[in-house]
Structure formats: structure tokens, C-alpha cells
Amino acid sequence: MFRMAEYYAGKSVLITGATGFMGKVLVEKLLRSCPEVKALYLLVRPKAGQSMQQRVSEMMTCKLFDRVREDDPDFHRKIIPISSELTQPGLAISPQDGEKLASCINIVFHCAATIRFDEPLKHALQLNVIATQQLLSLAKQMHHLEAFIHISTAYANCNRKHIDEVIYPPPVEPRKLIESLEWMDDGIVRDITPRLIGDRPNTYTYTKALAEFVVQQEQDQLNIAIIRPSIVGASWQEPFPGWIDNFNGPSGVFIAAGKGILRTMRANNDAVADLIPVDVVINLTLAAGWYTAVHRPKSALVYNCTTGGINPFHWGEIEHHVISSFKRNPLEQAFRRPNANITSNYLINQYWILVSHKFPAFIYDLFLRLSGQKPQMMRIFNRLHKAIGLLEYFSSQDWEWNSENLNMLMSQMTPEDRKTFNFDVRQLNWPEYIENYCIGTKKYVLNEDMSDIPAARQHLRKLRNIRYTFNTVLVVFIWRVFIARSQMARNIWYFVVSLCFKFLSYFRASSTLTN
């Protein structure tokens, strides 16, 4: 049986979205597990004052590449950046670069997309659909292309409860939609967007469904596969547990809970939290690239890359393990002690938002104003509420995923490849994974040192003592107010005090007799 590393040996690979979270992991895994790969061509755009070359150089200094760097200090020679801009005609690839790619590329991994749920429809359409069309046009000019692998999302068809590994009819013909929106100004498009996306929750899932259809249209001319990951999270095993580099999706929620900022979230405790580790997605992607190129299926194969139907874990369980983990390994300078409450009840959620979010934020901002500083906590909470609101749709319901193609692919791999390119989530230990995920957010997103954990624990103890003191003073104050106004309250107070006094007297007498 053909080994995967042998297949990728001598191959030239084109990767879009290589500077993103998943793209980096894909580049690293290819370099480490397929060391004989010939070259990786990365489509990159200048950004935030950095040139294309600077962005790639900065990416390669990342800790993620430490293992590759140990094996091959000159690995960067295999990385060839290509200037590109997904929003421009022809992806803004120069004629010279276009000819170079057409003459040498063997496999294309299309990872680039906008993952913002609230992206304006026109922009999401440009990045997720039109850019995919243009990349497919470029792929058709490649003389030695063997596989085109498109990264979609498991939620492209989230308006269905049962999702098979098939490409469903699109909500609208993409070409007609693109032509219709061309002449409309942004205000009109914004107004009609809710009617266009219908029963899908956002422009992201809507445009990803359109992109799948666009890819399918080329299955007669190209060898195509589509990967559908669910909620992509930190790495499980590779290149080391818990690697994460962004606040997107659950990472930002976990950090907010660890900092004591997030105290309530509207979700269904019993709903499956369909997290999928990023290294699982990448291993499946590389396996699909190998299988598509070697076996050349007659039509595009879809792989649902999810955990819900294979190794389910629920939002209530995640909440418990996240809070427990951050109590053992606290984040520095927490706002409050980690303690979050998940509820599916709207009114209860609104109550806790008022009591545990808005009121403390108001008090803290008032303190900042009085001390001559700029208020910021209410703004932080408003951003947090917006982010959680975008996730609500996915944290309050379940889907059923078919995974026949995924199982078939696994059966086609050698035992060695199943270890090297492991995407069998039945082996995933969720409590251990969540622990590593939380530690990963501390180390790699917030850049906190693990040696500072004793100081962070001391800070949590101080916060706990402040909270107990405040609660005690508040109770005594309220009770004293009642005592001053109510004879019944005074009688209860005197009864409790006399009871305590009698108990102490009895305890003292018992101690004397014993001695």
C-alpha cells in the first residue's frame, strides 16, 4: 500500500490561508511528516504594514515550528510565498507567478476564507465564493495537478438536522447572486441579507454552502475533495498538545471564563459541543489529498470532520472542565474567580448578565473614572456579549453527522499512516484535551509563563477573600436595616445570638469536663 509520506515526496503544494490558524498547522505537518516534499507555495497578501515576505518569516519563527526547526534548520527554503489578494481579479497573482504555478503545482489545499460570522454578505461572497471560483480557474491551468482539496465547514448545511457526506443543492445559484449584488450599494445588500440567508444563522454558513456548489461544478475536470470540520479548536497531539494562537470561537470564551469576566452563557447543557482539534482536521486533509490524487474518485468526496456522532461531549461538561482547569492553572490578574453558569433559559440568562456582568462592569468603570483612568470594562462586556450571541445558534442544538467517507479513508491507510496522520477521534480523552486547551490559551494566546501560577493562585485567593468580606458586610448591613425597622427581625436576631451564646457556653463546659 502506498505510504502518504512517499506520495508527498517530490510534490509541489499550493496552500491558501497559510498564515491563518489551520494553514500554519497544515504547513508545519507537511514539513515535519512529509520531509521529502519539494516545495510549499503560499498565497500571501501584504497586511498591516508588513510585506508578504515579512509575514511568512514571522510565521516561521513561531513556536509551532520548533520541532520542524530541530529536524531541518533550513526548512524555510521549501517555503515560497506568492503575492496574492483574494478580493482582486485573478487573485492579483502576477503573470509570471501564474505561469510558475501552472507548470509545477501537484496539489492545492484551499484553506483561505473569512470566518467572521457577521461579515457583510458582499465581502463574505467575495472571499468565500468568488475567490474560490478564481482559484479553481487557476487550478484548471495547472498541467500536473493531481488533487484540489477545499476546506468547507460542517455547518454549511446547518439548516438540516441530519447531514450526509454529500453536496446539497445551493440556496441560490451563485452566479446569479453575484451578478445581482454587483449593482447594489452596501445599504441595500445589508437590508436584504436576512431574507437571502433564510434559515441559516449567518453569512459565513451561507457563503460556504455556495462555495461547495462552486467546487462541485468542476468535479469533471479536477480531482476534488471537500473537508467539513465543525468547531476547530486547539491541537490534540501535534506538534504538541494545546497549541492555539487566536481568540476565535471557543478560545475567546474559555479565556473570558478563566479571567472571571464571563459568568453566564446561553447554551444547552445537554447539547453536543462539536469541537474538533485542529491537528485532526489537518491529518484528515492530508489523507484526503493523498487518496484523491492516488485513487481519483469519479465524483467529489465530502468528509464530515466532526466528533458529535463518534465521541460526543456536551456543553455542560465543557463548562465544568474549563472552570476546574482554570482554578488549577489560573490566568494572571483575573478580574474575578472563574465561575460560569450555562443556561438555556433566556430570562435567567438576562438576569445573570445584569447581576454578574453589567453591574460589576459599571462599578469597575466608575472606580476607573474616579481614579482618573479611562473606563473599559463595559466595552469589554459588550464585545463579549456580541461574540457569545454569534455562537448561541451552535451551542443550543445538535446535529447528526454521517461519517462513512471518513471511515472508508481510514480503512485505506496503512497502520503506520493511521498513527502518523491520526484523525480517529474515538481515542480523544475529552477532560485531558480541555485541560491542555485551557493551558494552551494561557501559554500561546496570552503568552503567560507557567512559573507564575503560584502568584496567580494567590491572586485568586485574594479575590475570594474580598468576595467573602463584601458578601458578609452586605448581609450584615441589610440585616441591620431590617432590625432597625422591624420588631420581628429584632426578635429573630436576639434568638440567633442567644442560641450561638448557649452553644458556645455548652462547648466551653464540655471542654472543661473533658479536661
Side-chain angles (χ1 to χ4, degrees):
M1 198 180 286
F2 207 5
R3 291 284 305 277
M4 281 172 56
E6 292 171 9
Y7 166 72
Y8 283 104
K11 295 292 191 294
S12 293
V13 181
L14 176 65
I15 301 173
T16 70
T19 56
F21 175 49
M22 284 177 56
K24 283 184 214 171
V25 180
L26 175 59
V27 170
E28 191 276 340
K29 178 66 175 180
L30 259 174
L31 292 168
R32 178 165 49 85
S33 297
C34 306
E36 299 302 315
V37 68
K38 184 179 179 181
L40 305 185
Y41 291 82
L42 315 183
L43 294 192
V44 185
R45 68 183 175 95
K47 182 182 178 184
Q50 284 185 310
S51 69
M52 168 192 70
Q53 192 63 55
Q54 285 173 324
R55 290 189 69 194
V56 173
S57 298
E58 184 180 294
M59 179 184 89
M60 289 188 290
T61 61
C62 173
K63 181 178 172 56
L64 177 71
F65 292 92
D66 282 358
R67 285 180 64 183
V68 175
R69 203 173 288 111
E70 287 174 17
D71 297 338
D72 179 12
D74 296 324
F75 76 91
H76 59 274
R77 290 180 182 172
K78 291 183 178 179
I79 306 242
I80 304 167
I82 300 289
S83 181
S84 175
E85 174 55 75
L86 296 185
T87 60
Q88 298 299 316
L91 306 179
I93 297 173
S94 71
Q96 296 87 349
D97 286 339
E99 287 174 17
K100 185 196 298 183
L101 296 175
S103 65
C104 72
I105 294 299
N106 304 113
I107 307 122
V108 173
F109 291 109
H110 181 34
C111 305
T114 174
I115 57 171
R116 279 184 54 191
F117 287 170
D118 57 349
E119 193 79 76
L121 180 58
K122 255 190 178 179
H123 197 55
L125 200 66
Q126 177 66 54
L127 291 169
N128 293 346
V129 183
I130 298 173
T132 301
Q133 285 178 328
Q134 298 188 332
L135 187 64
L136 287 162
S137 296
L138 178 64
K140 284 189 285 187
Q141 298 169 31
M142 294 174 181
H143 310 308
H144 307 290
L145 187 67
E146 298 172 13
F148 183 102
I149 312 301
H150 174 71
I151 308 296
S152 182
T153 171
Y155 299 105
N157 303 285
C158 58
N159 52 332
R160 298 171 180 268
K161 284 300 175 187
H162 182 90
I163 299 168
D164 287 316
E165 291 174 307
V166 299
I167 299 166
Y168 291 98
V172 65
E173 215 287 316
R175 182 176 51 80
K176 290 181 180 176
L177 178 65
I178 292 164
E179 290 172 356
S180 300
L181 297 188
E182 269 180 5
W183 59 269
M184 295 185 192
D185 66 36
D186 293 344
I188 295 173
V189 176
R190 186 174 60 250
D191 292 341
I192 65 170
T193 294
R195 293 191 65 182
L196 282 173
I197 65 175
D199 53 0
R200 282 179 173 80
N202 50 51
T203 58
Y204 171 67
T205 56
Y206 180 75
T207 53
K208 291 299 272 184
L210 298 179
E212 285 193 359
F213 178 74
V214 163
V215 172
Q216 185 191 35
Q217 296 309 292
E218 306 300 337
Q219 65 183 358
D220 293 334
Q221 299 184 56
L222 300 170
N223 295 319
I224 287 168
I226 294 175
I227 313 296
R228 285 183 184 154
S230 48
I231 304 169
V232 182
S235 61
W236 169 27
Q237 296 170 319
E238 298 182 277
F240 40 82
W243 188 77
I244 183 77
D245 74 343
N246 61 74
F247 289 91
N248 296 335
S251 307
V253 174
F254 290 179
I255 290 169
K259 286 283 190 181
I261 295 171
L262 175 68
R263 284 302 178 91
T264 184
M265 177 177 168
R266 193 168 174 218
N268 183 350
N269 278 284
D270 299 321
V272 172
D274 217 304
L275 278 181
I276 189 82
V278 64
D279 48 334
V280 170
V281 182
I282 296 310
N283 287 337
L284 172 62
T285 299
L286 289 171
W290 157 78
Y291 183 83
T292 304
V294 172
H295 294 274
R296 298 178 177 265
K298 291 178 181 177
S299 59
L301 289 183
V302 178
Y303 300 91
N304 284 339
C305 186
T306 62
T307 52
I310 303 169
N311 184 0
F313 201 60
H314 303 89
W315 285 106
E317 294 174 290
I318 282 191
E319 179 258 325
H320 167 73
H321 287 291
V322 166
I323 297 304
S324 300
S325 176
F326 280 128
K327 283 180 178 175
R328 287 190 296 273
N329 308 289
L331 301 178
E332 294 173 17
Q333 295 303 309
F335 178 61
R336 288 176 294 193
R337 295 175 72 240
N339 185 20
N341 169 56
I342 287 182
T343 177
S344 57
N345 186 289
Y346 174 78
L347 291 177
I348 292 174
N349 179 243
Q350 290 301 307
Y351 167 78
W352 284 116
I353 284 176
L354 183 66
V355 171
S356 295
H357 287 185
K358 292 188 175 179
F359 180 68
F362 173 78
I363 296 296
Y364 190 76
D365 278 352
L366 185 64
F367 166 76
L368 290 176
R369 277 198 178 93
L370 293 174
S371 58
Q373 299 177 65
K374 187 178 179 182
Q376 58 176 350
M377 196 52 69
M378 191 63 82
R379 180 171 51 83
I380 291 172
F381 273 110
N382 287 337
R383 287 174 60 189
L384 178 64
H385 293 152
K386 184 180 178 183
I388 292 172
L390 295 171
L391 289 172
E392 232 174 67
Y393 179 90
F394 305 97
S395 60
S396 57
Q397 53 187 314
D398 290 314
W399 287 267
E400 294 175 14
W401 318 96
N402 185 310
S403 54
E404 287 178 14
N405 288 341
L406 184 136
N407 294 330
M408 176 279 296
L409 179 59
M410 202 181 298
S411 71
Q412 295 293 313
M413 296 163 64
T414 65
E416 293 82 4
D417 278 345
R418 282 200 290 272
K419 289 179 183 176
T420 306
F421 301 90
N422 183 21
F423 53 87
D424 186 359
V425 293
R426 290 172 299 183
Q427 302 169 16
L428 180 63
N429 180 297
W430 280 108
E432 182 185 336
Y433 173 70
I434 296 298
E435 176 97 4
N436 288 330
Y437 197 147
C438 293
I439 292 172
T441 61
K442 177 179 176 67
K443 289 166 68 175
Y444 310 123
V445 180
L446 301 176
N447 295 312
E448 295 183 1
D449 199 320
M450 295 297 285
S451 64
D452 293 332
I453 281 181
R457 286 177 181 154
Q458 180 64 33
H459 179 68
L460 286 193
R461 284 193 287 272
K462 187 167 77 173
L463 290 175
R464 181 194 62 193
N465 294 339
I466 290 171
R467 181 189 172 200
Y468 287 167
T469 303
F470 176 79
N471 288 347
T472 303
V473 170
L474 185 64
V475 167
V476 169
F477 173 76
I478 292 172
W479 187 243
R480 291 299 296 170
V481 169
F482 274 110
I483 287 174
R485 299 188 175 191
S486 166
Q487 182 62 45
M488 182 181 290
R490 280 197 293 273
N491 292 341
I492 293 172
W493 175 256
Y494 294 143
F495 173 74
V496 169
V497 170
S498 63
L499 202 64
C500 291
F501 181 75
K502 287 177 182 177
F503 176 77
L504 289 171
S505 301
Y506 172 77
F507 183 76
R508 218 178 289 120
S510 299
S511 300
T512 305
L513 287 172
T514 304
N515 292 333

